[in-house]
Amino acid sequence: MLPMNSGSEGLPSGSVGPRLPEYFRRMVILNQMDFDLALAQMMYLIISPERAFREAKNRKLTKNHWARDDPAFLVLVVRQILLICTSYFLCIGVPLGLPFTSFLKLVAYQIGVNFLALGLILSTLFWFIINKYLHGKGQMHEVRQPMEWQYAFDVHCNAYFTMIMMCGVTQIFLLPWLLSETFLARVLANAIYSLSFSKYFYVTFRGYVELPFLESQEYFLYPVFFIALWFVLTLVTTFNMTSWVINGWIASA
């Protein structure tokens, strides 16, 4: 049960961080995006998520907001998804003679639904839960500032990037073996997805731990237990997550 924050009604309704119109305007101006910094953050997310989120603290100190005002990271995540989709189409779609429209459907689904639509839903849900329930009590004289919605979306982008690198990239190198009907192939395929989903929630947890005015962030690790339970249950079945995903895409082509 989430802790009820009796002071949450005093949270101001503003403080949404960087203005979204400016954020989206910079997407079409390449020389205003710092891709070197975004690539460095991606590297740290893979090897040390804690270090990657230090940049948010720097922004708070220098610009008084936690969220990114540079869309370079978002652009690179979309590019990475596009590259992964292209790799799958070349490895599976082309040999099977799937139409080019199947590639377009894959890209639209992965970017439009999995990354953006679900990301907006989860970001909004986490933003609401955090501002409603997880604010620390603080001091009586402190003005409580709500967490920016855009920071919640930043956390999603960070977590989603680590998930697709672990799942999408790792899986494609092992694809011929993962699609076999052996027990070890099923275990490895389901383990890759379980670890990838768990990584998503771990990076999400790390993102919110960095905010000093929050408490009980460990709630974001709870889904990992259910993911582990799902993996254990798959050991006594013939379910192969990789085969299910790939066959679903082929059937929809």
Side-chain angles (χ1 to χ4, degrees):
M1 182 176 181
L2 291 170
M4 189 64 181
N5 178 14
S6 60
S8 62
E9 64 272 14
L11 292 172
S13 59
S15 184
V16 294
R19 288 180 294 180
L20 288 176
E22 176 69 14
Y23 180 84
F24 289 118
R25 185 186 68 82
R26 293 183 62 181
M27 283 187 182
V28 297
I29 307 177
L30 295 181
N31 60 8
Q32 289 192 8
M33 290 188 282
D34 190 345
F35 289 106
D36 290 337
L37 177 60
L39 287 171
Q41 290 176 343
M42 287 180 165
M43 179 187 69
Y44 288 131
L45 281 169
I46 294 174
I47 63 177
S48 178
E50 299 85 353
R51 186 172 180 180
F53 282 106
R54 290 177 187 172
E55 185 63 27
K57 290 184 176 180
N58 294 334
R59 283 193 298 269
K60 182 61 178 177
L61 292 174
T62 58
K63 301 180 181 180
N64 197 32
H65 59 77
W66 296 94
R68 294 186 180 101
D69 51 11
D70 183 351
F73 190 92
L74 174 62
V75 172
L76 289 181
V77 172
V78 171
R79 187 200 66 168
Q80 186 63 30
I81 297 173
L82 181 60
L83 289 175
I84 292 174
C85 290
T86 301
S87 299
Y88 276 87
F89 181 71
L90 292 177
C91 292
I92 300 175
V94 172
L96 291 178
L98 298 182
F100 185 70
T101 54
S102 66
F103 168 71
L104 298 179
K105 289 179 182 179
L106 179 64
V107 171
Y109 186 81
Q110 293 300 326
I111 295 178
V113 178
N114 281 354
F115 176 49
L116 292 177
L118 291 179
L120 291 174
I121 293 172
L122 288 175
S123 300
T124 303
L125 177 63
F126 292 164
W127 169 77
F128 173 80
I129 291 174
I130 285 172
N131 284 325
K132 183 69 175 178
Y133 300 106
L134 302 186
H135 262 266
K137 294 181 180 180
Q139 302 296 325
M140 293 297 294
H141 63 275
E142 290 182 353
V143 177
R144 294 176 182 267
Q145 181 181 7
M147 186 192 73
E148 307 149 8
W149 177 89
Q150 198 169 331
Y151 181 75
F153 186 70
D154 279 351
V155 172
H156 163 71
C157 291
N158 292 347
Y160 196 85
F161 169 74
T162 61
M163 184 179 71
I164 62 173
M165 290 301 292
M166 181 175 289
C167 183
V169 176
T170 302
Q171 183 177 241
I172 198 166
F173 289 106
L174 301 173
L175 203 54
W177 191 65
L178 293 176
L179 291 175
S180 65
E181 297 182 358
T182 66
F183 173 75
L184 289 179
R186 294 197 301 271
V187 171
L188 182 57
N190 295 334
I192 288 174
Y193 276 92
S194 297
L195 291 173
S196 300
F197 294 151
S198 297
K199 185 73 171 181
Y200 178 91
F201 287 104
Y202 173 73
V203 174
T204 298
F205 162 75
R206 291 303 320 177
Y208 295 133
V209 161
E210 295 301 321
L211 303 186
F213 51 86
L214 300 184
E215 62 182 15
S216 303
Q217 296 98 320
E218 63 273 10
Y219 283 113
F220 292 102
L221 290 175
Y222 284 10
V224 175
F225 168 78
F226 296 100
I227 295 171
L229 179 61
W230 172 83
F231 172 72
V232 172
L233 292 176
T234 62
L235 297 177
V236 296
T237 70
T238 60
F239 180 75
N240 183 318
M241 188 70 176
T242 298
S243 295
W244 184 76
V245 170
I246 297 300
N247 289 334
W249 170 48
I250 294 173
S252 65

